[in-house]
Amino acid sequence: MDLSLALAQGFHNAPRLYGDTTVRKPIRINGYKSGLRAAGEEFGYGIYDGWTGLVKHPYHGAKKDGALGFVKGVGKGVGGFLLKDLAALFGPFGYAMKGIHKELVKDKQATNFIRQARRIQGQQDLIALDAGGKEEAIRTVCQGWHIIIDVRTDFEEIKHHGIRGRIAFHKERKYWRKHGAFENVEQANRALEAKRDGEDFDEVFGRQMWELKKAEGPRKSTMNRKQRKAHSSTAGAGQDVGDSKIDGVLAGGHTGTDIGDKAAIDTQGDDQASGHH
């Protein structure tokens, strides 16, 4: 199981190394159902993406970078054809066995205890609230659940159209995840309203995406040009003084101890001269 799973995951993710952005995100396996689902999708989509990549990568490469992009696209298509088909070959057995293993050890995992502890904590927090606070908390939770159910219903409707529906479902889910619509209930509600109103997610979440990209980018220095120039000059002058002192000591062939002894001798000579006077 471990060997076949490692081979499947390795071949699945290998196209990312040469810039293939069509690699699908694997399903999180937490039981036999999700394991069988992951096995089926790895087999089906592995073969599908491998064959379609032979056409899609050269086309998009030529559209973007001309002849050079076409050549790169051919390389990506051939590489994806080999690697994705190998992932489809090793994936079903590995993912299915992992799902069965997860199902067998599910009762021994700490996830159930963590969930139970969170339920108890939520109940205690609810009891500690007054009547108004309880009503507001219940209303907020119910509203959030209604939003989650509405989102799930919309996605389930997309899936009920055969293979095309499942492909459209994955594209739609990737589109939502790209714009941060799954971050919290408020974001999901905004995305749901935008979809029903026919609005573009880039416009609805444009400000948020700009802030996220800005936060991920390098930070701008708070010092202006004059301050940076003064700081560089001060640092350079301090470095020159330090270097000159070190060069003087090295040129005189003295160590730190010799300099200390010389200072002590000079001080003793001054004291003796003062005594003579």
Side-chain angles (χ1 to χ4, degrees):
M1 179 190 74
D2 294 336
L3 178 60
S4 60
L5 183 62
L7 290 173
Q9 291 176 341
F11 288 127
H12 179 91
N13 294 316
R16 298 178 187 271
L17 299 175
Y18 53 79
D20 188 350
T21 58
T22 63
V23 177
R24 300 177 185 270
K25 186 177 180 180
I27 298 175
R28 183 178 180 182
I29 300 176
N30 51 19
Y32 75 94
K33 290 184 180 180
S34 57
L36 293 176
R37 179 186 170 192
E41 290 194 2
E42 184 67 37
F43 180 76
Y45 287 124
I47 296 176
Y48 173 81
D49 291 340
W51 282 96
T52 56
L54 294 173
V55 179
K56 290 170 63 176
H57 286 297
Y59 170 75
H60 291 296
K63 187 176 179 180
K64 182 179 180 181
D65 298 324
L68 181 61
F70 176 80
V71 174
K72 292 181 179 179
V74 171
K76 289 182 180 180
V78 174
F81 176 77
L82 297 175
L83 294 172
K84 293 175 183 179
D85 284 345
L86 287 173
L89 177 64
F90 290 103
F93 177 77
Y95 289 127
M97 290 297 101
K98 184 179 179 181
I100 295 174
H101 174 72
K102 287 284 187 179
E103 191 70 28
L104 293 175
V105 301
K106 185 178 291 184
D107 296 334
K108 300 179 181 179
Q109 294 179 348
T111 307
N112 295 330
F113 298 100
I114 295 173
R115 289 175 179 172
Q116 185 64 23
R118 288 178 177 174
R119 293 192 193 102
I120 295 173
Q121 182 182 358
Q123 292 173 357
Q124 291 177 350
D125 293 341
L126 183 63
I127 294 173
L129 294 174
D130 55 9
K134 289 181 181 180
E135 184 178 354
E136 179 66 20
I138 293 173
R139 186 187 64 81
T140 303
V141 172
C142 291
Q143 183 180 1
W145 273 114
H146 284 306
I147 294 172
I148 293 173
I149 292 172
D150 290 342
V151 172
R152 184 173 182 177
T153 302
D154 285 1
F155 276 98
E156 290 295 332
E157 290 179 357
I158 298 175
K159 290 174 64 176
H160 291 162
H161 297 284
I163 297 178
R164 291 184 178 180
R166 297 185 68 85
I167 295 173
F169 163 75
H170 287 287
K171 289 183 178 179
E172 186 73 10
R173 186 173 63 177
K174 183 178 180 181
Y175 184 65
W176 279 51
R177 185 180 291 111
K178 175 184 176 182
H179 291 84
F182 293 133
E183 293 295 328
N184 50 51
V185 176
E186 290 77 10
Q187 294 289 93
N189 189 30
R190 289 178 60 190
L192 196 62
E193 293 176 354
K195 180 183 177 182
R196 291 174 178 176
D197 295 338
E199 298 179 358
D200 188 5
F201 278 19
D202 292 332
E203 297 179 359
V204 176
F205 298 101
R207 177 67 180 178
Q208 179 184 352
M209 296 300 296
W210 179 80
E211 291 177 353
L212 289 175
K213 290 181 179 180
K214 184 179 179 181
E216 293 175 356
R219 294 185 178 181
K220 187 178 180 180
S221 175
T222 57
M223 299 171 58
N224 56 32
R225 182 181 298 177
K226 185 180 294 184
Q227 290 174 336
R228 287 197 297 268
K229 185 176 180 180
H231 178 72
S232 300
S233 301
T234 305
Q239 183 68 27
D240 293 339
V241 172
D243 293 342
S244 63
K245 289 183 179 180
I246 294 173
D247 293 339
V249 172
L250 295 177
H254 297 298
T255 62
T257 306
D258 295 333
I259 295 172
D261 294 341
K262 185 177 183 298
I265 294 171
D266 293 340
T267 304
Q268 184 178 1
D270 292 339
D271 294 340
Q272 291 177 356
S274 299
H276 287 302
H277 288 293

